[in-house]
Amino acid sequence: MNLNNMIEHWLASAQQNRAPTNRPFVTLSYAQSLDGSIALRSCEPLALSGNESLRLTHQLRSLHDGILVGIGTVLADDPQLNVRHWSGQSPQPIVLDSQLRMPSDARLRQCAEKPCWILTTQANQWPDQEGAEICSLQPGADGRVCLQNALALLYEKGIRQLMVEGGANVITAFIKAQLVDAVVITLVPKFVGGYKAVGDLEISSRVELPGVQPFNTERLGDDLIIWGELAYQGKADQGDKS
């Protein structure tokens, strides 16, 4: 069995055996350098994955109902979040955008088949909502979209498997809130010395560190793929927000 099939079978099993209650199963997937960087600088895109790893990313997209990023990723990368390098259905694009900063010409607002869902804390909506569905949520204590409320809403709207791609603030927030069920990380054999994927998790002891269990690795082209379920120890759900 090749790596793509192996990961697809593993993910299907994990989604079935670890299906959460009242929220989607969350797979965190992104590419990083050996030193943990995902970009040279914040808000500055950097393509890291090789061709084989990129195909795997698009395969993973096809295995999820929805795909979520933060507004920072939209402003920096102008992504499409669809399936292009693999045969399969594109997931529902979802953006965390507390202050409704998404440009009207963003590529995510040009897809007539699946208008982007924008999760925001703003009660007042845009005059022009073409290419987007605005979902207003009560803000958390920090004024941002509450991840628990966001996932509950997505579950109500039929999202059972959610892929989270980034950026760094979103990655960090999901891990802190203990809302990541599985990870598929592409490790690229380069040093970047740039913007890191994971920020301060506010963890004070080694026993509280979340870990990948079991820890699976396989080379794909020039990259190393790391995957497994994310296990949290020493803490109950914190309810952190993003």
Side-chain angles (χ1 to χ4, degrees):
M1 183 182 299
N2 65 29
L3 180 59
N4 295 75
N5 290 336
M6 187 187 308
I7 291 181
E8 181 168 341
H9 282 254
W10 159 78
L11 183 61
S13 176
Q15 290 171 339
Q16 180 177 1
N17 297 330
R18 193 176 165 174
T21 303
N22 299 325
R23 72 163 176 84
F25 180 99
V26 174
T27 305
L28 177 62
S29 183
Y30 59 91
Q32 68 170 46
S33 66
L34 288 174
D35 58 2
S37 300
I38 57 175
L40 289 169
R41 284 167 286 277
S42 176
C43 299
E44 202 171 297
L46 176 65
L48 286 170
S49 300
N51 291 333
E52 295 91 340
S53 302
L54 183 61
R55 281 174 50 82
L56 175 61
T57 296
H58 283 249
Q59 178 186 8
L60 289 172
R61 290 180 178 181
S62 74
L63 301 176
H64 291 79
D65 302 319
I67 182 168
L68 181 146
V69 297
I71 184 60
T73 296
V74 175
L75 296 176
D77 296 353
D78 194 18
Q80 299 182 72
L81 302 183
N82 56 11
V83 175
R84 302 186 303 281
H85 302 287
W86 191 263
S87 176
Q89 185 174 359
S90 294
Q92 170 64 50
I94 304 159
V95 177
L96 293 176
D97 185 6
S98 296
Q99 303 301 315
L100 288 179
R101 294 188 291 153
M102 183 183 286
S104 60
D105 61 350
R107 290 195 292 183
L108 285 175
R109 294 187 62 184
Q110 314 306 315
C111 179
E113 180 184 357
K114 291 187 177 180
C116 181
W117 295 352
I118 300 179
L119 309 185
T120 184
T121 60
Q122 300 299 301
N124 297 324
Q125 300 185 356
W126 290 320
D128 175 17
Q129 297 181 42
E130 185 176 354
E133 178 181 332
I134 310 300
C135 304
S136 296
L137 295 163
Q138 287 293 323
D142 58 3
R144 298 181 179 180
V145 173
C146 171
L147 293 186
Q148 284 79 5
N149 291 344
L151 293 184
L153 174 65
L154 295 179
Y155 190 87
E156 290 177 5
K157 291 171 72 66
I159 303 297
R160 296 296 181 266
Q161 294 87 33
L162 178 68
M163 182 170 170
V164 174
E165 283 199 3
N169 290 336
V170 172
I171 292 170
T172 302
F174 267 87
I175 296 175
K176 282 179 64 176
Q178 302 189 359
L179 292 172
V180 177
D181 300 298
V183 297
V184 181
I185 298 173
T186 299
L187 187 62
V188 180
K190 295 182 183 298
F191 289 97
V192 175
Y195 190 56
K196 300 299 186 288
V198 182
D200 184 7
L201 296 177
E202 299 180 3
I203 292 175
S204 57
S205 66
R206 187 177 186 276
V207 71
E208 297 175 349
L209 297 173
V212 180
Q213 299 176 358
F215 184 74
N216 303 292
T217 63
E218 189 81 24
R219 184 168 174 174
L220 185 60
D222 292 331
D223 302 331
L224 184 69
I225 309 300
I226 300 168
W227 74 95
E229 297 180 36
L230 198 59
Y232 301 92
Q233 300 181 20
K235 281 188 179 182
D237 281 1
Q238 294 284 309
D240 293 72
K241 311 195 172 48
S242 173

mmCIF file of all heavy atoms in Angstrom, residues 90-127:
data_model
loop_
_atom_site.group_PDB
_atom_site.id
_atom_site.type_symbol
_atom_site.label_atom_id
_atom_site.label_comp_id
_atom_site.label_asym_id
_atom_site.label_seq_id
_atom_site.Cartn_x
_atom_site.Cartn_y
_atom_site.Cartn_z
ATOM 1 N N SER A 90 -14.196 19.069 -3.807
ATOM 2 C CA SER A 90 -13.628 20.146 -2.992
ATOM 3 C C SER A 90 -14.449 20.324 -1.714
ATOM 4 O O SER A 90 -15.677 20.226 -1.740
ATOM 5 C CB SER A 90 -13.603 21.460 -3.771
ATOM 6 O OG SER A 90 -12.720 21.379 -4.868
ATOM 7 N N PRO A 91 -13.781 20.611 -0.598
ATOM 8 C CA PRO A 91 -14.501 20.838 0.658
ATOM 9 C C PRO A 91 -15.113 22.238 0.698
ATOM 10 O O PRO A 91 -14.790 23.096 -0.130
ATOM 11 C CB PRO A 91 -13.405 20.683 1.710
ATOM 12 C CG PRO A 91 -12.149 21.125 1.005
ATOM 13 C CD PRO A 91 -12.324 20.695 -0.431
ATOM 14 N N GLN A 92 -15.980 22.450 1.676
ATOM 15 C CA GLN A 92 -16.574 23.769 1.880
ATOM 16 C C GLN A 92 -15.523 24.712 2.466
ATOM 17 O O GLN A 92 -14.975 24.439 3.538
ATOM 18 C CB GLN A 92 -17.759 23.661 2.852
ATOM 19 C CG GLN A 92 -18.317 25.001 3.323
ATOM 20 C CD GLN A 92 -18.895 25.806 2.184
ATOM 21 O OE1 GLN A 92 -19.694 25.301 1.406
ATOM 22 N NE2 GLN A 92 -18.499 27.063 2.080
ATOM 23 N N PRO A 93 -15.197 25.826 1.781
ATOM 24 C CA PRO A 93 -14.210 26.766 2.348
ATOM 25 C C PRO A 93 -14.813 27.590 3.485
ATOM 26 O O PRO A 93 -15.945 28.076 3.381
ATOM 27 C CB PRO A 93 -13.847 27.651 1.153
ATOM 28 C CG PRO A 93 -15.018 27.570 0.236
ATOM 29 C CD PRO A 93 -15.644 26.234 0.438
ATOM 30 N N ILE A 94 -14.046 27.730 4.560
ATOM 31 C CA ILE A 94 -14.488 28.432 5.769
ATOM 32 C C ILE A 94 -13.356 29.328 6.246
ATOM 33 O O ILE A 94 -12.196 28.895 6.301
ATOM 34 C CB ILE A 94 -14.862 27.428 6.877
ATOM 35 C CG1 ILE A 94 -15.936 26.439 6.376
ATOM 36 C CG2 ILE A 94 -15.335 28.149 8.137
ATOM 37 C CD1 ILE A 94 -15.986 25.153 7.169
ATOM 38 N N VAL A 95 -13.673 30.562 6.617
ATOM 39 C CA VAL A 95 -12.649 31.512 7.065
ATOM 40 C C VAL A 95 -13.055 32.122 8.401
ATOM 41 O O VAL A 95 -14.193 32.583 8.566
ATOM 42 C CB VAL A 95 -12.440 32.636 6.025
ATOM 43 C CG1 VAL A 95 -11.431 33.667 6.535
ATOM 44 C CG2 VAL A 95 -11.973 32.056 4.698
ATOM 45 N N LEU A 96 -12.123 32.125 9.356
ATOM 46 C CA LEU A 96 -12.304 32.870 10.598
ATOM 47 C C LEU A 96 -11.914 34.314 10.323
ATOM 48 O O LEU A 96 -10.766 34.604 10.014
ATOM 49 C CB LEU A 96 -11.418 32.291 11.707
ATOM 50 C CG LEU A 96 -11.753 30.887 12.219
ATOM 51 C CD1 LEU A 96 -10.702 30.448 13.233
ATOM 52 C CD2 LEU A 96 -13.135 30.847 12.830
ATOM 53 N N ASP A 97 -12.879 35.202 10.411
ATOM 54 C CA ASP A 97 -12.659 36.603 10.043
ATOM 55 C C ASP A 97 -13.457 37.493 10.991
ATOM 56 O O ASP A 97 -14.519 38.012 10.647
ATOM 57 C CB ASP A 97 -13.081 36.828 8.588
ATOM 58 C CG ASP A 97 -12.783 38.232 8.072
ATOM 59 O OD1 ASP A 97 -12.135 39.009 8.799
ATOM 60 O OD2 ASP A 97 -13.204 38.544 6.948
ATOM 61 N N SER A 98 -12.933 37.690 12.188
ATOM 62 C CA SER A 98 -13.674 38.388 13.245
ATOM 63 C C SER A 98 -14.148 39.766 12.818
ATOM 64 O O SER A 98 -15.263 40.186 13.138
ATOM 65 C CB SER A 98 -12.812 38.502 14.510
ATOM 66 O OG SER A 98 -12.524 37.228 15.031
ATOM 67 N N GLN A 99 -13.300 40.493 12.083
ATOM 68 C CA GLN A 99 -13.591 41.887 11.743
ATOM 69 C C GLN A 99 -14.036 42.087 10.300
ATOM 70 O O GLN A 99 -14.066 43.217 9.811
ATOM 71 C CB GLN A 99 -12.348 42.755 12.028
ATOM 72 C CG GLN A 99 -11.846 42.676 13.466
ATOM 73 C CD GLN A 99 -12.910 43.096 14.458
ATOM 74 O OE1 GLN A 99 -13.586 44.115 14.259
ATOM 75 N NE2 GLN A 99 -13.064 42.333 15.532
ATOM 76 N N LEU A 100 -14.375 40.995 9.609
ATOM 77 C CA LEU A 100 -14.825 41.066 8.213
ATOM 78 C C LEU A 100 -13.848 41.850 7.331
ATOM 79 O O LEU A 100 -14.200 42.842 6.705
ATOM 80 C CB LEU A 100 -16.229 41.687 8.127
ATOM 81 C CG LEU A 100 -17.384 40.818 8.624
ATOM 82 C CD1 LEU A 100 -18.697 41.561 8.501
ATOM 83 C CD2 LEU A 100 -17.444 39.499 7.857
ATOM 84 N N ARG A 101 -12.619 41.356 7.278
ATOM 85 C CA ARG A 101 -11.581 42.013 6.486
ATOM 86 C C ARG A 101 -11.372 41.373 5.117
ATOM 87 O O ARG A 101 -10.523 41.829 4.344
ATOM 88 C CB ARG A 101 -10.257 42.001 7.259
ATOM 89 C CG ARG A 101 -10.260 42.830 8.537
ATOM 90 C CD ARG A 101 -8.858 42.902 9.121
ATOM 91 N NE ARG A 101 -8.417 41.621 9.651
ATOM 92 C CZ ARG A 101 -7.145 41.234 9.736
ATOM 93 N NH1 ARG A 101 -6.180 42.024 9.266
ATOM 94 N NH2 ARG A 101 -6.834 40.065 10.251
ATOM 95 N N MET A 102 -12.115 40.321 4.772
ATOM 96 C CA MET A 102 -11.871 39.656 3.495
ATOM 97 C C MET A 102 -12.182 40.588 2.330
ATOM 98 O O MET A 102 -13.277 41.139 2.241
ATOM 99 C CB MET A 102 -12.702 38.384 3.374
ATOM 100 C CG MET A 102 -12.409 37.641 2.072
ATOM 101 S SD MET A 102 -13.419 36.172 1.828
ATOM 102 C CE MET A 102 -12.644 35.069 2.999
ATOM 103 N N PRO A 103 -11.234 40.744 1.402
ATOM 104 C CA PRO A 103 -11.477 41.615 0.239
ATOM 105 C C PRO A 103 -12.573 41.056 -0.663
ATOM 106 O O PRO A 103 -12.756 39.843 -0.764
ATOM 107 C CB PRO A 103 -10.121 41.625 -0.481
ATOM 108 C CG PRO A 103 -9.125 41.128 0.525
ATOM 109 C CD PRO A 103 -9.867 40.203 1.423
ATOM 110 N N SER A 104 -13.251 41.935 -1.339
ATOM 111 C CA SER A 104 -14.319 41.506 -2.250
ATOM 112 C C SER A 104 -13.776 40.748 -3.453
ATOM 113 O O SER A 104 -14.497 39.972 -4.077
ATOM 114 C CB SER A 104 -15.126 42.720 -2.725
ATOM 115 O OG SER A 104 -14.280 43.638 -3.406
ATOM 116 N N ASP A 105 -12.488 40.971 -3.783
ATOM 117 C CA ASP A 105 -11.905 40.281 -4.934
ATOM 118 C C ASP A 105 -11.101 39.046 -4.545
ATOM 119 O O ASP A 105 -10.390 38.473 -5.380
ATOM 120 C CB ASP A 105 -11.023 41.242 -5.737
ATOM 121 C CG ASP A 105 -9.852 41.805 -4.915
ATOM 122 O OD1 ASP A 105 -9.835 41.593 -3.678
ATOM 123 O OD2 ASP A 105 -8.974 42.446 -5.519
ATOM 124 N N ALA A 106 -11.207 38.608 -3.292
ATOM 125 C CA ALA A 106 -10.513 37.387 -2.868
ATOM 126 C C ALA A 106 -11.014 36.202 -3.690
ATOM 127 O O ALA A 106 -12.201 36.104 -4.017
ATOM 128 C CB ALA A 106 -10.743 37.137 -1.380
ATOM 129 N N ARG A 107 -10.116 35.285 -4.007
ATOM 130 C CA ARG A 107 -10.507 34.150 -4.849
ATOM 131 C C ARG A 107 -11.548 33.264 -4.170
ATOM 132 O O ARG A 107 -12.351 32.619 -4.849
ATOM 133 C CB ARG A 107 -9.269 33.329 -5.229
ATOM 134 C CG ARG A 107 -8.357 34.053 -6.205
ATOM 135 C CD ARG A 107 -7.355 33.141 -6.858
ATOM 136 N NE ARG A 107 -6.364 32.655 -5.921
ATOM 137 C CZ ARG A 107 -5.338 31.869 -6.262
ATOM 138 N NH1 ARG A 107 -5.198 31.472 -7.517
ATOM 139 N NH2 ARG A 107 -4.451 31.471 -5.352
ATOM 140 N N LEU A 108 -11.555 33.258 -2.834
ATOM 141 C CA LEU A 108 -12.551 32.466 -2.127
ATOM 142 C C LEU A 108 -13.970 33.004 -2.318
ATOM 143 O O LEU A 108 -14.943 32.300 -2.055
ATOM 144 C CB LEU A 108 -12.230 32.417 -0.625
ATOM 145 C CG LEU A 108 -11.082 31.498 -0.223
ATOM 146 C CD1 LEU A 108 -10.798 31.630 1.273
ATOM 147 C CD2 LEU A 108 -11.399 30.050 -0.570
ATOM 148 N N ARG A 109 -14.077 34.237 -2.776
ATOM 149 C CA ARG A 109 -15.400 34.816 -3.013
ATOM 150 C C ARG A 109 -15.808 34.744 -4.484
ATOM 151 O O ARG A 109 -16.816 35.326 -4.882
ATOM 152 C CB ARG A 109 -15.439 36.267 -2.528
ATOM 153 C CG ARG A 109 -15.282 36.398 -1.018
ATOM 154 C CD ARG A 109 -15.501 37.821 -0.556
ATOM 155 N NE ARG A 109 -16.858 38.285 -0.846
ATOM 156 C CZ ARG A 109 -17.276 39.520 -0.613
ATOM 157 N NH1 ARG A 109 -16.438 40.413 -0.083
ATOM 158 N NH2 ARG A 109 -18.513 39.871 -0.902
ATOM 159 N N GLN A 110 -15.012 34.026 -5.280
ATOM 160 C CA GLN A 110 -15.312 33.918 -6.708
ATOM 161 C C GLN A 110 -15.870 32.554 -7.083
ATOM 162 O O GLN A 110 -16.110 32.296 -8.265
ATOM 163 C CB GLN A 110 -14.048 34.199 -7.534
ATOM 164 C CG GLN A 110 -13.256 35.417 -7.111
ATOM 165 C CD GLN A 110 -14.098 36.688 -7.059
ATOM 166 O OE1 GLN A 110 -14.880 36.959 -7.964
ATOM 167 N NE2 GLN A 110 -13.940 37.460 -5.986
ATOM 168 N N CYS A 111 -16.065 31.679 -6.093
ATOM 169 C CA CYS A 111 -16.530 30.328 -6.381
ATOM 170 C C CYS A 111 -18.051 30.274 -6.245
ATOM 171 O O CYS A 111 -18.585 30.352 -5.136
ATOM 172 C CB CYS A 111 -15.883 29.318 -5.434
ATOM 173 S SG CYS A 111 -16.419 27.621 -5.700
ATOM 174 N N ALA A 112 -18.736 30.145 -7.374
ATOM 175 C CA ALA A 112 -20.201 30.115 -7.359
ATOM 176 C C ALA A 112 -20.730 28.787 -6.811
ATOM 177 O O ALA A 112 -21.816 28.735 -6.233
ATOM 178 C CB ALA A 112 -20.731 30.343 -8.770
ATOM 179 N N GLU A 113 -19.942 27.713 -6.989
ATOM 180 C CA GLU A 113 -20.398 26.385 -6.561
ATOM 181 C C GLU A 113 -20.510 26.298 -5.039
ATOM 182 O O GLU A 113 -21.505 25.786 -4.508
ATOM 183 C CB GLU A 113 -19.432 25.315 -7.072
ATOM 184 C CG GLU A 113 -19.827 23.905 -6.678
ATOM 185 C CD GLU A 113 -18.800 22.879 -7.106
ATOM 186 O OE1 GLU A 113 -17.802 23.266 -7.758
ATOM 187 O OE2 GLU A 113 -18.991 21.700 -6.798
ATOM 188 N N LYS A 114 -19.496 26.799 -4.345
ATOM 189 C CA LYS A 114 -19.496 26.743 -2.882
ATOM 190 C C LYS A 114 -19.074 28.096 -2.322
ATOM 191 O O LYS A 114 -17.882 28.326 -2.053
ATOM 192 C CB LYS A 114 -18.552 25.644 -2.380
ATOM 193 C CG LYS A 114 -19.039 24.239 -2.685
ATOM 194 C CD LYS A 114 -18.162 23.191 -2.016
ATOM 195 C CE LYS A 114 -18.719 21.805 -2.269
ATOM 196 N NZ LYS A 114 -17.892 20.737 -1.633
ATOM 197 N N PRO A 115 -20.028 29.011 -2.139
ATOM 198 C CA PRO A 115 -19.687 30.308 -1.539
ATOM 199 C C PRO A 115 -19.026 30.121 -0.179
ATOM 200 O O PRO A 115 -19.422 29.263 0.607
ATOM 201 C CB PRO A 115 -21.048 31.000 -1.408
ATOM 202 C CG PRO A 115 -21.911 30.332 -2.435
ATOM 203 C CD PRO A 115 -21.446 28.909 -2.481
ATOM 204 N N CYS A 116 -17.997 30.906 0.060
ATOM 205 C CA CYS A 116 -17.219 30.797 1.291
ATOM 206 C C CYS A 116 -18.072 31.132 2.512
ATOM 207 O O CYS A 116 -18.835 32.093 2.504
ATOM 208 C CB CYS A 116 -16.023 31.739 1.195
ATOM 209 S SG CYS A 116 -14.946 31.703 2.641
ATOM 210 N N TRP A 117 -17.945 30.345 3.567
ATOM 211 C CA TRP A 117 -18.578 30.666 4.838
ATOM 212 C C TRP A 117 -17.589 31.501 5.651
ATOM 213 O O TRP A 117 -16.451 31.074 5.892
ATOM 214 C CB TRP A 117 -18.927 29.415 5.618
ATOM 215 C CG TRP A 117 -19.949 28.546 4.967
ATOM 216 C CD1 TRP A 117 -20.700 28.826 3.855
ATOM 217 C CD2 TRP A 117 -20.325 27.232 5.393
ATOM 218 N NE1 TRP A 117 -21.529 27.766 3.566
ATOM 219 C CE2 TRP A 117 -21.337 26.784 4.482
ATOM 220 C CE3 TRP A 117 -19.943 26.401 6.434
ATOM 221 C CZ2 TRP A 117 -21.935 25.524 4.603
ATOM 222 C CZ3 TRP A 117 -20.538 25.144 6.560
ATOM 223 C CH2 TRP A 117 -21.518 24.720 5.661
ATOM 224 N N ILE A 118 -18.015 32.658 6.070
ATOM 225 C CA ILE A 118 -17.155 33.537 6.850
ATOM 226 C C ILE A 118 -17.703 33.620 8.277
ATOM 227 O O ILE A 118 -18.832 34.073 8.496
ATOM 228 C CB ILE A 118 -17.081 34.938 6.215
ATOM 229 C CG1 ILE A 118 -16.504 34.835 4.799
ATOM 230 C CG2 ILE A 118 -16.236 35.872 7.071
ATOM 231 C CD1 ILE A 118 -16.415 36.147 4.073
ATOM 232 N N LEU A 119 -16.895 33.157 9.230
ATOM 233 C CA LEU A 119 -17.289 33.175 10.633
ATOM 234 C C LEU A 119 -16.753 34.452 11.265
ATOM 235 O O LEU A 119 -15.540 34.677 11.281
ATOM 236 C CB LEU A 119 -16.745 31.947 11.357
ATOM 237 C CG LEU A 119 -17.036 30.587 10.698
ATOM 238 C CD1 LEU A 119 -16.560 29.447 11.586
ATOM 239 C CD2 LEU A 119 -18.513 30.423 10.367
ATOM 240 N N THR A 120 -17.643 35.276 11.792
ATOM 241 C CA THR A 120 -17.259 36.596 12.275
ATOM 242 C C THR A 120 -17.955 36.913 13.585
ATOM 243 O O THR A 120 -18.930 36.240 13.973
ATOM 244 C CB THR A 120 -17.605 37.665 11.220
ATOM 245 O OG1 THR A 120 -17.149 38.932 11.659
ATOM 246 C CG2 THR A 120 -19.105 37.721 10.961
ATOM 247 N N THR A 121 -17.463 37.934 14.256
ATOM 248 C CA THR A 121 -18.125 38.430 15.468
ATOM 249 C C THR A 121 -18.937 39.681 15.170
ATOM 250 O O THR A 121 -19.550 40.248 16.075
ATOM 251 C CB THR A 121 -17.085 38.760 16.555
ATOM 252 O OG1 THR A 121 -16.195 39.777 16.059
ATOM 253 C CG2 THR A 121 -16.263 37.532 16.920
ATOM 254 N N GLN A 122 -18.931 40.125 13.913
ATOM 255 C CA GLN A 122 -19.610 41.361 13.547
ATOM 256 C C GLN A 122 -21.101 41.116 13.307
ATOM 257 O O GLN A 122 -21.483 40.217 12.572
ATOM 258 C CB GLN A 122 -18.987 41.956 12.282
ATOM 259 C CG GLN A 122 -17.507 42.289 12.424
ATOM 260 C CD GLN A 122 -17.264 43.322 13.512
ATOM 261 O OE1 GLN A 122 -17.788 44.423 13.453
ATOM 262 N NE2 GLN A 122 -16.484 42.941 14.503
ATOM 263 N N ALA A 123 -21.926 41.932 13.941
ATOM 264 C CA ALA A 123 -23.373 41.831 13.738
ATOM 265 C C ALA A 123 -23.777 42.494 12.429
ATOM 266 O O ALA A 123 -24.703 42.055 11.750
ATOM 267 C CB ALA A 123 -24.118 42.470 14.904
ATOM 268 N N ASN A 124 -23.063 43.569 12.062
ATOM 269 C CA ASN A 124 -23.360 44.272 10.811
ATOM 270 C C ASN A 124 -22.670 43.564 9.656
ATOM 271 O O ASN A 124 -21.456 43.327 9.699
ATOM 272 C CB ASN A 124 -22.882 45.724 10.887
ATOM 273 C CG ASN A 124 -23.603 46.502 11.976
ATOM 274 O OD1 ASN A 124 -24.789 46.289 12.202
ATOM 275 N ND2 ASN A 124 -22.882 47.381 12.654
ATOM 276 N N GLN A 125 -23.427 43.230 8.633
ATOM 277 C CA GLN A 125 -22.879 42.499 7.505
ATOM 278 C C GLN A 125 -22.539 43.430 6.359
ATOM 279 O O GLN A 125 -22.967 44.576 6.314
ATOM 280 C CB GLN A 125 -23.879 41.430 7.055
ATOM 281 C CG GLN A 125 -24.188 40.419 8.163
ATOM 282 C CD GLN A 125 -25.087 39.299 7.678
ATOM 283 O OE1 GLN A 125 -25.536 39.313 6.543
ATOM 284 N NE2 GLN A 125 -25.333 38.328 8.533
ATOM 285 N N TRP A 126 -21.719 42.926 5.413
ATOM 286 C CA TRP A 126 -21.330 43.703 4.249
ATOM 287 C C TRP A 126 -22.553 44.066 3.414
ATOM 288 O O TRP A 126 -23.500 43.283 3.291
ATOM 289 C CB TRP A 126 -20.405 42.899 3.350
ATOM 290 C CG TRP A 126 -19.043 42.629 3.868
ATOM 291 C CD1 TRP A 126 -18.237 43.465 4.552
ATOM 292 C CD2 TRP A 126 -18.311 41.418 3.695
ATOM 293 N NE1 TRP A 126 -17.043 42.857 4.820
ATOM 294 C CE2 TRP A 126 -17.063 41.599 4.309
ATOM 295 C CE3 TRP A 126 -18.591 40.204 3.083
ATOM 296 C CZ2 TRP A 126 -16.095 40.610 4.325
ATOM 297 C CZ3 TRP A 126 -17.637 39.220 3.099
ATOM 298 C CH2 TRP A 126 -16.400 39.431 3.712
ATOM 299 N N PRO A 127 -22.535 45.229 2.782
ATOM 300 C CA PRO A 127 -23.586 45.531 1.807
ATOM 301 C C PRO A 127 -23.554 44.545 0.633
ATOM 302 O O PRO A 127 -24.587 44.136 0.124
ATOM 303 C CB PRO A 127 -23.241 46.953 1.337
ATOM 304 C CG PRO A 127 -22.390 47.522 2.416
ATOM 305 C CD PRO A 127 -21.628 46.361 2.988
#
